[in-house]
Amino acid sequence: MNHSISATQNSSTWFQAEAWKNACIKLLPQHAMKNPVMAIVWLGTLITFISTVLGKASLVFGLMVTFILLMTVLFANYAEAIAEAKGRGQASSLRQARQNLTARRILSLQDTEGTQISASALQRNDLIEVRAGELIPSDGEIVYGFATINEAAVTGESAPVLREAGTDRSGVIGGTKVLTDRIIVQVTAEVGHSFLDRMIALVEGSSRQKTPNEIALGILLTVMTVTFIIVVISLPIMAHFLNIALNPILLVALLVCLIPTTIGGLLPAIGIAGMNRALKANIIAKSGKAVEIAGDIDVLLLDKTGTITYGDRQATAFYALAGVADPELRQAALLTSLADPTPEGKSIVALAKEQGEKIQEPEQAEFIAFNASSRISGVDLAHGQHIRKGALDAILKFTSQDISQHSELKTRVEQVASKGATPLVVARGQNILGVIELSDVVKPGIKEKFARLREMGIKTVMVTGDNPLTAAAIAAEAGVDDYIAEARPEDKLNCIRAEQNKGHLVAMVGDGTNDAPALAQADIGLAMNSGTQAAKEAGNMVDLDSDPTKLLAVVEIGKQQLITRGALTTFSLANDISKYFAILPALFVSAIPQMSVLNVMHLHSSESAILSALIFNAMIIPLLIPIALRGVKFKPSTSTQLLRRNMLIYGLGGVLLPFVAIKAIDLIISPILMW
């Protein structure tokens, strides 16, 4: 326990030291110019120092103003630097996962020897063999075998996961460890562009791109800054006609208090912190834009299998139709599943074997693999028999029959579907033999999560290839708003486009290669880490935990990002109102006594007023850093309620707090200035 506390303290100290070091580095011109608002404050710092050296103000007052302005810039740099330091700390463990990796490259699936090479020498499409106890040297797809894999180095989750060739869970990540069995992996990543490489770049902030909202707000702040620069430059001209001498130090102080320094200093940190919060939830966002858009989505499409349900559908019963013997149905179902690599196919073989069927692969048979488009699989035997299993409508099409001709089949399918199970129909030639029941289980707690999404104004749509009855039963149990049954891959794509044409922002969760087009089309595509490489490449977010309900966390992080930026912007602009009442009377009250009316805080002197306003301006940035990094707490509410709360807390609070704080600072420093 003590060791853990000590390690945490050491880590915190390291973060702090690195952040302050980078804060000082960001004072260099090439870094400072990236933030126009703080660049102006930094320039003002140099002007006040030079003015003090030239004797434009008393030495003590001039140096105090210079020091306060310098600390304002450093605090703003520190806010960004500490957010980046957290990202680099998270990246260090990822780097360890890819160090000194070697690979056993093979020429073909039959090659049992292979050649040992460095992982950095691997090329796309190379075949590599990985055995139990070895690290996977590169991203890829399993093309042969299955294995349990420890992905703790990437996900932080110690529980091993199963990855298998020919399934939607065939993708593997370089740096993860094979615990059991032997697999052959086809490399899918170029050198330096692996999943780990991209993750490291993202969490370090080196690949972070500003979001559209962040860019727009940055432009607004720049325009405001330029406007106030023009105002301040014009003041000496006006003062000349009024025979008022304005000290350049006072003008710099006025400018710093006029421009939105608080939000200008915190804006980069807010953007970086958003991606860090996503990473903390084990979500890799390929851009800050994806995180932000997540806060605005209003339609969510989800697969049923593996998303709403566990996805490990198992054959639980065979139902033969009248005139068909049970062994006949079981044998036909067994034959259609011998070459079926899916968990469902394997469970059919296992159940048939369990009920007494012998497994004997027929000679000269041609197996028909399952196809997502046809939703059918089977076998063509040497003596001309064609046996198929698949969805009801697919089998009816295969047999050229109509459901009206099979009342018993219709009843049996409805009975299976009404239980929330999936019926598969088996046919030999033109004869329908019976139904296989595949059972799946809705994940616990998912109904509550969908209810929370509904509170946020997000519509949930379940997309499944199951028949309408099964789909309706699962949809009711899961609590989704709508469902699409008997859906093909293109139906998902069409649904997303239809919602987008209505003006909605759509999120899609998927893990398979057939989900890739929909993931790419959606405004937010959340791919499962356990899924195929194609899915991960198509999505703009990857969930390392492979938990489809994680989108709830993504939405909350996105909304929190938007709320945080809006709240701190409101607070920053509200602050300026109070600072005007401190600075303006101090500048002009001696020459224009009527301006004393604006001195509502009754500050001791012009010097103490300026210093108090500048000290508050500098101190408020580090005080708001925890909020910028942690984010404003999000609660499901309407936009009106959100605006009201934002204006009450950060608007009104932003106006009142400076009055109290500046007055308190004035009471503290005024005796010091009198010395």
Side-chain angles (χ1 to χ4, degrees), residues 506-570:
V506 183
M508 168 71 190
V509 178
D511 58 1
T513 301
N514 63 325
D515 293 325
L519 287 168
Q521 177 67 36
D523 299 285
I524 292 294
L526 180 63
M528 301 294 99
N529 184 42
S530 61
T532 62
Q533 192 68 24
K536 288 188 282 190
E537 291 292 338
N540 45 22
M541 286 186 174
V542 178
D543 177 21
L544 301 180
D545 296 329
S546 300
D547 177 9
T549 61
K550 188 70 71 63
L551 193 73
L552 176 63
V554 173
V555 171
E556 290 186 342
I557 291 168
K559 288 186 180 294
Q560 190 179 37
Q561 175 96 329
L562 294 171
I563 293 168
T564 302
R565 187 181 294 123
L568 294 184
T569 300
T570 303

Side-chain angles (χ1 to χ4, degrees), residues 123-183:
Q123 302 293 323
R124 185 189 287 269
N125 296 324
D126 280 351
L127 292 177
I128 51 177
E129 182 191 38
V130 191
R131 299 169 184 171
E134 297 177 345
L135 295 175
I136 299 171
S138 180
D139 296 357
E141 296 273 354
I142 301 175
V143 294
Y144 175 81
F146 60 90
T148 52
I149 297 173
N150 184 346
E151 297 183 344
V154 177
T155 67
E157 176 57 57
S158 58
V161 295
L162 180 66
R163 298 286 180 262
E164 185 176 3
T167 69
D168 284 343
R169 292 175 174 81
S170 61
V172 292
I173 303 172
T176 56
K177 189 174 185 178
V178 175
L179 300 178
T180 63
D181 302 291
R182 166 184 174 270
I183 54 175

Side-chain angles (χ1 to χ4, degrees), residues 591-627:
I592 310 174
Q594 292 84 350
M595 291 202 69
S596 61
V597 175
L598 296 177
N599 190 16
V600 295
M601 287 182 273
H602 301 290
L603 302 177
H604 185 267
S605 66
S606 60
E607 288 83 3
S608 70
I610 290 165
L611 286 173
S612 299
L614 289 178
I615 290 171
F616 172 80
N617 196 62
M619 289 179 59
I620 200 64
I621 294 176
L623 291 174
L624 292 176
I625 287 175
I627 297 176

